[in-house]
Each structure stands twice: as C-alpha cells, then as structure tokens.
Amino acid sequence: MDIFQIPLDTLVVDQENIKEIQCGICLQILVTPRQCRNGHLYCLGCIQQSLKKNRHECPQCRCPLDLDNLSRSLFLEKHLRNLNVFCKNHFKIDDCPTLSGSLNNKNLSPAWVADMEGCVFIGPYETIESHENSCQFRFEICKFSVNNNNNSNSNSSCNNNNNNNNNNNNNNNNNNNNNNNNNNNNNSNNSVSSSMTSSLNNSIHGNCSGFGAGSNNSSGNNSPSVRVNQKETVLNSKSNIVDNNNNKNNNNEEDELLTTEGNSGEDHNNSFSSYDIKPIECGKIRFKDLEKHYLICPFRPIECSFCKSEFTFHSIKDHETNCDFKLVECSQCKSQISKKELKYHLNENCPNQIISCTFGYCDKTFERKDLNNHLNETLSQHMIMMKQQQQEEINLLKKEFTSQLQLKDEKIKGLEKLIKEKLLEPKIKIDWKIKNYLECKRNGYHQSEKFIIEGFPFFIGIFTDGDNNESKGYISIYLFLDTSDIPKGRSINTEFSLKFNNQRDPVQSLNREYKATFPIRDGSGWGDRRSIKTHNLESNGYIKDNTLLITAEVTIKKILWLVEESQCDKH
C-alpha cells in the first residue's frame, strides 16, 4: 500500500458524525458536494452517473432533478474544509488485521491502523497538507534501497542531493494528497474494511521491510506491532492531540531504532546474521529515523577488505567469499597468495612446485627450489646431450635438404620440358563470322573459308538442323581437313576447340575441346553432332543482328609421315 492512498474516511477524527457528510449514493464522504432543491446531498460524480441512467429525479425525495438544477452547498463545503483529520503519517499498514474478539483471520486484506510511533498531529483538512509537507514522521525512500539504486552508483552511497530530491518528490505527492483522498471515497465507513485496501498491494511499515513474504513487523522494531480498531485509534489519538498552532510532532532524537537493532560498529560479516534470506528492498522509512536506519541498512555500501571495492552490506559476504584478491594458502609452499595470483604463483614462483628441467634435452623432474643445484651438477652431462642432439638434428636436416633439392631438380626439368613442348606447338586462332545466319539455316549447311596450318588446309562446317536423323533440332559442327591438297602419307595430330560466342553474355559462351588426327577416313570431319540445340542458339543471345560468331583454336601436336615399303630392283 502507498502511504499517499489513505482514504479520507480513515483520516477523519470524529467518526461518529461522519454520516452527516456522507453521499446519499456511495455512502462515502462527499466529494464536490451537490444538492437537490430539498437539500439532499451527493457527490457530483455520483449524481451525474445517476442522472445519465435516465433517472431525472432525486434518488431520495424523487423530486425532478437534472444537472442544471444541482446547486452547491457552501455550508457543507466550509464544514469539509474545517473537518479535523489526522496527519496521514499517523497510520501504517497492518498486513494481518484481526476482527474484534476473533482470532487472526488470514483471509482479510491489509488495513490502515494507527501507528503508536506515528505522528499525532490533528488539524483542519484545508491546512493539513502544509503540515504533512514538513512532518518529521513522513515516509522517505531509503537512499540505499534496491529500487533507488537505478538513480545512484551501485557501489557507493548516495550523496545528500539525493535526499533533497526524495524530499521534493514526497512533497509533490503530499500536494496531490487531497485529490487522491477525494478520488478514493468508494469505501465503507468501517476503516478496516477489506474493500478499502483490496487494490493496494505493497505493505508500508514503520521501517525497513522486504526480508521475506512472511515479515509482518510493520513497526520496524523487535517489539510486537500495534493493531487497534478505529475506536481505539480515535481514543489513543485524542489523548495525544497537539494544538495546531504549536505544531508539536513528538520528534525525539532518542527514539529507538526501527527495523533491526544492531551495533553499527560490529563486524559486517556477523551483524546481519539474523536474516536467513537476502532483503529485496528497504521500503520506506520515517524521516526522523532515516539517519539511524542508514547505520543498519542492508543496502548500505561496505568496502571489501580485500579488493577495496564497494558492495552492499547484504552482498559483501558472498563477494568476499569469492573475491579474486582474497588470500588463500598455496598447497605446496603454504604461503598466502591472492586467488587471482595463485595459478601464476604455482606455474612460475612456488619453490615447492614439481617442475621439469629447463634444459630441453633433460627429462629430470624436481622441486623448483632445486633447479639451480641440478643445473650446476649436470652441466657437463647437459653439454654432451646437447652436442649429440644437435648432431642428430644436423644429419636429419641434411637428409631432408638433399631429398627436397632432388625433388626441386626433377620439377624444374619437367617444367623446362613442358615449356619447350609448348613453344614448339603452334597454336592458331580462327574467328568465323556468319553474317547471314537465316539464309544459312534455310540451306541447312554452311562452311567457312579454308585456313592453312603447317601446310594443311582446314575449314569449319556446321549443319543447322543436324547431319542425320539422330541430331535433328541440334547444330552439328565439325573441323574438316581438305585431303585433296595434302601429299599422300602425311598426317597431323591436333588438339582444337570450337566455341559458339554468346554476344549478350560472353560468360554463357559454349566451348568444346577435341583431339583428332587428320586426315580422317572417308574425308570426314571431327567435332560434335549435337553440340547445341538450334532453339537455344537462336534465343539465348548467340545470334545478334542475324550474325553468328564461332571461334576455333587449333594446336599442332605432331606431324607424321607414312613411308611405304618400295620394291627393290632385282639384279
């Protein structure tokens, strides 16, 4: 529950005469009172709702009534302004209210009850706000609280400016208290009724709260909390009424600490041991008790004794248990080393740690403190071992070097041979441009002009619809040798490629490679009977402006002569 949501019915001192100022509809204290011509009083909001339901009459006397006929009651307005009310800081929340004469009923909602340690000031409702703004019993948010840490440094305490900001925020809330009271008059006359508090969720106690769901010590100290009914509240309050002009608020600096009492100078590892779980938040503290609360607040900043960083009081124990700067005992030499440096200490410095000899060829192990003695005693042995090991490494390197050098020589010779062969192999490139493709297609066959390679006359021929029934719908392309112009018995071994150039996207060009020895029997050519579909050739960018481009690259591998055996003349 929020301290600023106390219903006005609860704040009124004279509960016996509260019926005189109740709304005839909601039966709560009147808010913006309006009356019919016969004087029956209602809240303005209540009577407006009633008239909206087409009941244009007074709910009590049934006289005709509408919004224009409603009138103010100046006498009642003055009476309400002069109504004696408690300071809202006179109350606290009872999480476990009891009905008079009955056992504790856990099903009852939290209720507002008088706090014997709260403010006892009583004054007119019209002026109560000015008192509440400076009341020493007002509730403040602890500057170390978890809910307040978003506006402060998590590892340091807040400064005094935060206190001033909290005070200003509470003053703003107090200034709006009258509006809150006027808007919360849907409760019954009984100040402890469950309907008054069913929508309020967070308990506000006299001091630190949030140490577990079952914590109900709302006064904040170790003594039993005070729970009284409304009549007892009025009696106890009237016996301690202070004059409005004197404005005494019973603020005693020697008041006992609220929440948990403890020695502020006590060791922080033990002073909070009475709590089984970590606190969730501090809650709200009475202003007069703030400084005393800060001495025992579970969220107050505490410096780690190892790393000197600041943490909250309730978390310092867990931190110090795992702090990297906490001193721990080395398992080997029993010296005190920080947890952070322990691994490095064992690997580099610990005199009792078992290590291997730093000489690479020695496999002895011993404690680190014996390293120098070992090195001095085995110096000559180490030198002999080193010489032997180095000689073995030199021999191995020589062997590897010889093997690699042999491989390099073989690779060089192979490359030289390949280069020589390439240089001796003439490579001819021929670009054939067929300018009138459609006419060639109608003819069905077209051939290029002859080109001479090493004395051999070649030409390229294409069949636009295949050269037999199996290749119908395909382009057949061949490289031919004109056998009529070559000497008998002469042949040529070739590697060649035939490429259809894509004039729209060169990457899509179609290139095929072949190997053949010419002349071929019966004067045939060598190529591909089904190189590309005629439809694909004509529709995918190979033909542009009725022109087809074909490139041939021919490499001569060998030229051969066939020598026939001649008949010898008989002598």
Side-chain angles (χ1 to χ4, degrees):
M1 287 188 177
D2 193 340
I3 190 66
F4 304 115
Q5 294 178 336
I6 303 178
L8 180 60
D9 303 59
T10 305
L11 297 174
V12 174
V13 175
D14 190 358
Q15 293 287 315
E16 296 296 332
N17 297 324
I18 199 172
K19 293 183 179 179
E20 299 176 359
I21 53 176
Q22 283 182 338
C23 170
I25 296 176
C26 68
L27 302 179
Q28 307 300 310
I29 293 179
L30 288 159
V31 179
T32 315
R34 292 293 186 269
Q35 62 184 358
C36 72
R37 66 188 183 187
N38 292 330
H40 296 116
L41 295 166
Y42 308 98
C43 300
L44 177 59
C46 294
I47 192 62
Q48 284 178 335
Q49 291 294 326
S50 177
L51 294 176
K52 283 182 180 179
K53 297 178 180 179
N54 297 323
R55 298 174 183 173
H56 295 285
E57 59 182 18
C58 174
Q60 296 187 52
C61 65
R62 304 303 178 184
C63 69
L65 184 64
D66 55 32
L67 291 177
D68 295 333
N69 295 335
L70 290 173
S71 62
R72 296 172 59 186
S73 175
L74 299 179
F75 171 78
L76 184 58
E77 289 178 3
K78 182 178 180 180
H79 179 59
L80 289 173
R81 288 195 299 271
N82 295 326
L83 191 66
N84 280 338
V85 294
F86 292 106
C87 170
K88 65 186 177 185
N89 299 307
H90 174 70
F91 296 92
K92 68 177 181 179
I93 291 297
D94 184 2
D95 285 333
C96 299
T98 58
L99 296 177
S100 179
S102 66
L103 296 176
N104 187 10
N105 188 346
K106 295 183 179 180
N107 295 324
L108 292 178
S109 300
W112 293 105
V113 296
D115 186 356
M116 299 306 294
E117 296 181 359
C119 180
V120 295
F121 177 83
I122 293 177
Y125 178 67
E126 184 177 31
T127 61
I128 195 67
E129 183 180 348
S130 61
H131 161 76
E132 291 173 344
N133 289 340
S134 59
C135 180
Q136 294 296 307
F137 291 84
R138 68 184 183 272
F139 288 100
E140 297 282 356
I141 297 175
C142 171
K143 64 183 179 182
F144 301 131
S145 175
V146 170
N147 289 340
N148 200 32
N149 277 346
N150 291 332
N151 298 322
S152 64
N153 190 321
S154 61
N155 289 329
S156 62
S157 63
C158 301
N159 53 33
N160 291 331
N161 290 333
N162 288 339
N163 275 336
N164 295 332
N165 291 336
N166 291 334
N167 292 341
N168 291 334
N169 291 335
N170 282 331
N171 289 339
N172 291 334
N173 288 330
N174 290 338
N175 289 333
N176 294 326
N177 188 44
N178 289 338
N179 293 332
N180 291 334
N181 290 337
N182 290 335
N183 293 328
N184 285 290
N185 287 319
N186 293 324
N187 305 303
S188 65
N189 291 333
N190 189 350
S191 64
V192 295
S193 65
S194 60
S195 61
M196 179 187 72
T197 59
S198 60
S199 64
L200 304 176
N201 299 319
N202 298 322
S203 299
I204 302 299
H205 302 294
N207 205 314
C208 191
S209 66
F211 298 94
S215 176
N216 294 318
N217 187 0
S218 57
S219 67
N221 56 22
N222 292 328
S223 61
S225 59
V226 179
R227 303 187 184 95
V228 294
N229 60 27
Q230 187 61 37
K231 290 184 179 180
E232 292 171 337
T233 301
V234 175
L235 293 175
N236 291 333
S237 301
K238 286 186 176 180
S239 65
N240 295 295
I241 292 176
V242 295
D243 186 78
N244 185 23
N245 296 326
N246 294 332
N247 192 20
K248 296 180 181 179
N249 51 32
N250 199 24
N251 180 22
N252 189 346
E253 294 184 356
E254 296 181 357
D255 287 346
E256 293 183 354
L257 293 178
L258 300 179
T259 320
T260 304
E261 284 292 318
N263 295 326
S264 60
E266 188 175 325
D267 184 353
H268 59 71
N269 285 326
N270 299 321
S271 61
F272 204 68
S273 59
S274 59
Y275 298 110
D276 295 330
I277 59 174
K278 293 181 180 178
I280 300 173
E281 61 175 319
C282 273
K284 296 181 180 179
I285 317 299
R286 292 200 185 274
F287 179 77
K288 69 183 184 66
D289 298 317
L290 272 178
E291 293 304 321
K292 295 178 181 179
H293 168 77
Y294 291 153
L295 298 177
I296 61 171
C297 178
F299 297 101
R300 65 187 184 273
I302 297 292
E303 185 181 84
C304 173
S305 58
F306 304 118
C307 64
K308 306 305 178 185
S309 299
E310 284 192 349
F311 297 86
T312 57
F313 175 80
H314 77 83
S315 65
I316 189 66
K317 187 173 182 180
D318 288 342
H319 164 74
E320 288 188 341
T321 302
N322 302 299
C323 181
D324 286 339
F325 292 88
K326 182 179 180 180
L327 297 180
V328 295
E329 185 180 83
C330 173
S331 60
Q332 302 295 330
C333 64
K334 308 304 179 182
S335 59
Q336 296 293 313
I337 307 294
S338 67
K339 289 177 64 176
K340 185 177 182 180
E341 301 294 333
L342 182 59
K343 184 176 180 180
Y344 178 82
H345 168 76
L346 290 171
N347 292 337
E348 302 294 336
N349 297 327
C350 181
N352 296 343
Q353 180 73 356
I354 303 298
I355 63 172
S356 299
C357 177
T358 55
F359 188 74
Y361 308 112
C362 180
D363 57 359
K364 299 291 185 180
T365 57
F366 39 80
E367 292 183 348
R368 182 178 279 112
K369 62 186 177 183
D370 298 327
L371 175 61
N372 290 333
N373 291 336
H374 169 75
L375 293 176
N376 292 333
E377 293 173 356
T378 59
L379 180 59
S380 59
Q381 297 177 13
H382 283 172
M383 293 298 100
I384 294 172
M385 292 169 60
M386 183 173 67
K387 182 179 179 180
Q388 293 174 346
Q389 185 67 26
Q390 289 179 347
Q391 188 61 48
E392 291 177 0
E393 292 178 356
I394 291 172
N395 293 336
L396 181 61
L397 290 173
K398 284 181 178 180
K399 185 177 179 180
E400 290 180 355
F401 178 76
T402 302
S403 176
Q404 291 180 4
L405 186 61
Q406 212 168 17
L407 291 174
K408 296 289 185 183
D409 287 341
E410 292 176 358
K411 189 173 183 180
I412 291 172
K413 289 179 181 179
L415 290 173
E416 288 177 345
K417 182 179 179 181
L418 181 62
I419 292 172
K420 186 177 180 180
E421 291 176 353
K422 292 293 183 182
L423 291 175
L424 294 176
E425 295 175 355
K427 187 174 185 179
I428 308 301
K429 180 179 180 181
I430 300 95
D431 290 323
W432 180 25
K433 182 182 289 186
I434 303 174
K435 294 185 177 180
N436 194 349
Y437 171 77
L438 293 178
E439 184 177 347
C440 295
K441 181 179 180 181
R442 285 194 295 270
N443 295 334
Y445 172 76
H446 189 64
Q447 71 179 39
S448 69
E449 296 180 356
K450 295 179 181 180
F451 48 90
I452 307 300
I453 302 176
E454 295 293 324
F456 290 83
F458 288 93
F459 63 90
I460 305 170
I462 65 169
F463 298 85
T464 56
D465 194 26
D467 62 340
N468 62 15
N469 291 332
E470 295 180 357
S471 58
K472 287 286 185 181
Y474 286 86
I475 299 291
S476 300
I477 185 168
Y478 300 97
L479 177 66
F480 292 94
L481 175 65
D482 186 357
T483 57
S484 62
D485 293 337
I486 61 171
K488 186 177 180 181
R490 192 179 182 190
S491 62
I492 183 170
N493 183 264
T494 65
E495 291 182 1
F496 65 96
S497 64
L498 298 173
K499 179 171 71 173
F500 292 93
N501 292 282
N502 191 308
Q503 302 178 66
R504 183 170 61 196
D505 183 6
V507 176
Q508 300 297 325
S509 298
L510 179 64
N511 187 48
R512 299 286 176 83
E513 295 182 350
Y514 311 93
K515 292 181 180 181
T517 300
F518 293 92
I520 299 172
R521 184 180 299 177
D522 300 330
S524 300
W526 195 266
D528 195 344
R529 176 164 279 128
R530 303 172 68 178
S531 60
I532 184 173
K533 286 186 176 181
T534 305
H535 172 73
N536 291 341
L537 182 77
E538 296 173 353
S539 61
N540 291 333
Y542 292 94
I543 297 174
K544 180 179 180 182
D545 298 331
N546 200 25
T547 301
L548 174 63
L549 298 179
I550 296 176
T551 300
E553 291 187 358
V554 182
T555 301
I556 304 300
K557 304 298 290 183
K558 290 181 182 180
I559 298 176
L560 305 174
W561 286 91
L562 178 60
V563 179
E564 294 182 356
E565 183 181 355
S566 61
Q567 294 181 356
C568 296
D569 295 337
K570 294 182 179 180
H571 297 285

PDB file of all heavy atoms in Angstrom, residues 177-192:
ATOM      1  N   ASN A 177      -2.252  14.966  -2.363  1.00  0.00           N
ATOM      2  CA  ASN A 177      -2.951  14.044  -1.462  1.00  0.00           C
ATOM      3  C   ASN A 177      -4.444  14.325  -1.414  1.00  0.00           C
ATOM      4  O   ASN A 177      -5.256  13.415  -1.340  1.00  0.00           O
ATOM      5  CB  ASN A 177      -2.330  14.146  -0.078  1.00  0.00           C
ATOM      6  CG  ASN A 177      -2.884  13.080   0.861  1.00  0.00           C
ATOM      7  OD1 ASN A 177      -3.001  11.933   0.441  1.00  0.00           O
ATOM      8  ND2 ASN A 177      -3.236  13.462   2.064  1.00  0.00           N
ATOM      9  N   ASN A 178      -4.824  15.637  -1.451  1.00  0.00           N
ATOM     10  CA  ASN A 178      -6.241  15.966  -1.365  1.00  0.00           C
ATOM     11  C   ASN A 178      -7.002  15.380  -2.545  1.00  0.00           C
ATOM     12  O   ASN A 178      -8.104  14.861  -2.408  1.00  0.00           O
ATOM     13  CB  ASN A 178      -6.420  17.494  -1.335  1.00  0.00           C
ATOM     14  CG  ASN A 178      -5.946  18.076  -0.010  1.00  0.00           C
ATOM     15  OD1 ASN A 178      -5.891  17.346   0.973  1.00  0.00           O
ATOM     16  ND2 ASN A 178      -5.608  19.369   0.014  1.00  0.00           N
ATOM     17  N   ASN A 179      -6.368  15.460  -3.730  1.00  0.00           N
ATOM     18  CA  ASN A 179      -7.024  14.893  -4.898  1.00  0.00           C
ATOM     19  C   ASN A 179      -7.172  13.383  -4.761  1.00  0.00           C
ATOM     20  O   ASN A 179      -8.183  12.809  -5.144  1.00  0.00           O
ATOM     21  CB  ASN A 179      -6.239  15.221  -6.168  1.00  0.00           C
ATOM     22  CG  ASN A 179      -6.274  16.706  -6.467  1.00  0.00           C
ATOM     23  OD1 ASN A 179      -7.230  17.385  -6.102  1.00  0.00           O
ATOM     24  ND2 ASN A 179      -5.226  17.204  -7.138  1.00  0.00           N
ATOM     25  N   ASN A 180      -6.117  12.748  -4.229  1.00  0.00           N
ATOM     26  CA  ASN A 180      -6.197  11.293  -4.033  1.00  0.00           C
ATOM     27  C   ASN A 180      -7.310  10.943  -3.054  1.00  0.00           C
ATOM     28  O   ASN A 180      -8.038   9.975  -3.229  1.00  0.00           O
ATOM     29  CB  ASN A 180      -4.869  10.736  -3.526  1.00  0.00           C
ATOM     30  CG  ASN A 180      -3.793  10.804  -4.584  1.00  0.00           C
ATOM     31  OD1 ASN A 180      -4.116  10.806  -5.762  1.00  0.00           O
ATOM     32  ND2 ASN A 180      -2.537  10.840  -4.164  1.00  0.00           N
ATOM     33  N   ASN A 181      -7.390  11.730  -1.982  1.00  0.00           N
ATOM     34  CA  ASN A 181      -8.427  11.452  -0.979  1.00  0.00           C
ATOM     35  C   ASN A 181      -9.816  11.640  -1.579  1.00  0.00           C
ATOM     36  O   ASN A 181     -10.739  10.881  -1.322  1.00  0.00           O
ATOM     37  CB  ASN A 181      -8.235  12.361   0.225  1.00  0.00           C
ATOM     38  CG  ASN A 181      -7.003  11.988   1.026  1.00  0.00           C
ATOM     39  OD1 ASN A 181      -6.556  10.849   0.938  1.00  0.00           O
ATOM     40  ND2 ASN A 181      -6.447  12.929   1.790  1.00  0.00           N
ATOM     41  N   ASN A 182      -9.977  12.708  -2.396  1.00  0.00           N
ATOM     42  CA  ASN A 182     -11.287  12.984  -2.976  1.00  0.00           C
ATOM     43  C   ASN A 182     -11.692  11.941  -3.994  1.00  0.00           C
ATOM     44  O   ASN A 182     -12.866  11.782  -4.297  1.00  0.00           O
ATOM     45  CB  ASN A 182     -11.273  14.359  -3.652  1.00  0.00           C
ATOM     46  CG  ASN A 182     -11.181  15.486  -2.633  1.00  0.00           C
ATOM     47  OD1 ASN A 182     -11.586  15.297  -1.493  1.00  0.00           O
ATOM     48  ND2 ASN A 182     -10.666  16.647  -3.051  1.00  0.00           N
ATOM     49  N   ASN A 183     -10.691  11.259  -4.566  1.00  0.00           N
ATOM     50  CA  ASN A 183     -10.996  10.260  -5.589  1.00  0.00           C
ATOM     51  C   ASN A 183     -11.049   8.846  -5.043  1.00  0.00           C
ATOM     52  O   ASN A 183     -11.208   7.912  -5.805  1.00  0.00           O
ATOM     53  CB  ASN A 183      -9.942  10.322  -6.710  1.00  0.00           C
ATOM     54  CG  ASN A 183     -10.028  11.619  -7.484  1.00  0.00           C
ATOM     55  OD1 ASN A 183     -11.107  12.164  -7.631  1.00  0.00           O
ATOM     56  ND2 ASN A 183      -8.875  12.094  -7.966  1.00  0.00           N
ATOM     57  N   ASN A 184     -10.892   8.665  -3.743  1.00  0.00           N
ATOM     58  CA  ASN A 184     -10.886   7.309  -3.175  1.00  0.00           C
ATOM     59  C   ASN A 184     -11.992   7.152  -2.137  1.00  0.00           C
ATOM     60  O   ASN A 184     -11.796   6.551  -1.088  1.00  0.00           O
ATOM     61  CB  ASN A 184      -9.538   6.996  -2.542  1.00  0.00           C
ATOM     62  CG  ASN A 184      -8.480   6.707  -3.574  1.00  0.00           C
ATOM     63  OD1 ASN A 184      -8.534   5.675  -4.229  1.00  0.00           O
ATOM     64  ND2 ASN A 184      -7.533   7.621  -3.717  1.00  0.00           N
ATOM     65  N   ASN A 185     -13.152   7.717  -2.407  1.00  0.00           N
ATOM     66  CA  ASN A 185     -14.246   7.667  -1.439  1.00  0.00           C
ATOM     67  C   ASN A 185     -15.281   6.617  -1.786  1.00  0.00           C
ATOM     68  O   ASN A 185     -16.466   6.798  -1.569  1.00  0.00           O
ATOM     69  CB  ASN A 185     -14.922   9.039  -1.373  1.00  0.00           C
ATOM     70  CG  ASN A 185     -14.050  10.041  -0.652  1.00  0.00           C
ATOM     71  OD1 ASN A 185     -13.445   9.703   0.354  1.00  0.00           O
ATOM     72  ND2 ASN A 185     -13.982  11.277  -1.180  1.00  0.00           N
ATOM     73  N   ASN A 186     -14.851   5.513  -2.355  1.00  0.00           N
ATOM     74  CA  ASN A 186     -15.733   4.384  -2.643  1.00  0.00           C
ATOM     75  C   ASN A 186     -15.622   3.314  -1.575  1.00  0.00           C
ATOM     76  O   ASN A 186     -15.887   2.164  -1.817  1.00  0.00           O
ATOM     77  CB  ASN A 186     -15.391   3.795  -4.015  1.00  0.00           C
ATOM     78  CG  ASN A 186     -15.710   4.759  -5.128  1.00  0.00           C
ATOM     79  OD1 ASN A 186     -16.698   5.479  -5.036  1.00  0.00           O
ATOM     80  ND2 ASN A 186     -14.877   4.768  -6.163  1.00  0.00           N
ATOM     81  N   ASN A 187     -15.162   3.693  -0.402  1.00  0.00           N
ATOM     82  CA  ASN A 187     -15.010   2.727   0.694  1.00  0.00           C
ATOM     83  C   ASN A 187     -16.159   2.870   1.679  1.00  0.00           C
ATOM     84  O   ASN A 187     -16.857   3.884   1.741  1.00  0.00           O
ATOM     85  CB  ASN A 187     -13.681   2.955   1.415  1.00  0.00           C
ATOM     86  CG  ASN A 187     -12.518   2.904   0.466  1.00  0.00           C
ATOM     87  OD1 ASN A 187     -12.350   1.906  -0.203  1.00  0.00           O
ATOM     88  ND2 ASN A 187     -11.752   3.997   0.388  1.00  0.00           N
ATOM     89  N   SER A 188     -16.333   1.894   2.519  1.00  0.00           N
ATOM     90  CA  SER A 188     -17.380   1.918   3.544  1.00  0.00           C
ATOM     91  C   SER A 188     -16.915   2.705   4.742  1.00  0.00           C
ATOM     92  O   SER A 188     -15.768   3.126   4.824  1.00  0.00           O
ATOM     93  CB  SER A 188     -17.729   0.487   3.944  1.00  0.00           C
ATOM     94  OG  SER A 188     -16.604  -0.092   4.552  1.00  0.00           O
ATOM     95  N   ASN A 189     -17.848   2.944   5.722  1.00  0.00           N
ATOM     96  CA  ASN A 189     -17.491   3.694   6.924  1.00  0.00           C
ATOM     97  C   ASN A 189     -16.482   2.953   7.765  1.00  0.00           C
ATOM     98  O   ASN A 189     -15.722   3.557   8.510  1.00  0.00           O
ATOM     99  CB  ASN A 189     -18.753   3.967   7.762  1.00  0.00           C
ATOM    100  CG  ASN A 189     -19.681   4.951   7.053  1.00  0.00           C
ATOM    101  OD1 ASN A 189     -19.201   5.759   6.266  1.00  0.00           O
ATOM    102  ND2 ASN A 189     -20.978   4.885   7.330  1.00  0.00           N
ATOM    103  N   ASN A 190     -16.482   1.646   7.740  1.00  0.00           N
ATOM    104  CA  ASN A 190     -15.552   0.866   8.558  1.00  0.00           C
ATOM    105  C   ASN A 190     -14.144   1.040   8.019  1.00  0.00           C
ATOM    106  O   ASN A 190     -13.845   0.681   6.893  1.00  0.00           O
ATOM    107  CB  ASN A 190     -15.943  -0.616   8.506  1.00  0.00           C
ATOM    108  CG  ASN A 190     -15.132  -1.403   9.509  1.00  0.00           C
ATOM    109  OD1 ASN A 190     -14.177  -0.883  10.094  1.00  0.00           O
ATOM    110  ND2 ASN A 190     -15.510  -2.661   9.704  1.00  0.00           N
ATOM    111  N   SER A 191     -13.226   1.599   8.815  1.00  0.00           N
ATOM    112  CA  SER A 191     -11.871   1.943   8.349  1.00  0.00           C
ATOM    113  C   SER A 191     -11.027   0.731   8.082  1.00  0.00           C
ATOM    114  O   SER A 191      -9.977   0.832   7.475  1.00  0.00           O
ATOM    115  CB  SER A 191     -11.173   2.840   9.375  1.00  0.00           C
ATOM    116  OG  SER A 191     -10.985   2.138  10.575  1.00  0.00           O
ATOM    117  N   VAL A 192     -11.400  -0.454   8.580  1.00  0.00           N
ATOM    118  CA  VAL A 192     -10.596  -1.660   8.362  1.00  0.00           C
ATOM    119  C   VAL A 192     -11.246  -2.584   7.355  1.00  0.00           C
ATOM    120  O   VAL A 192     -10.894  -3.740   7.268  1.00  0.00           O
ATOM    121  CB  VAL A 192     -10.374  -2.408   9.707  1.00  0.00           C
ATOM    122  CG1 VAL A 192      -9.560  -1.562  10.644  1.00  0.00           C
ATOM    123  CG2 VAL A 192     -11.703  -2.820  10.339  1.00  0.00           C
TER     124      VAL A 192
END
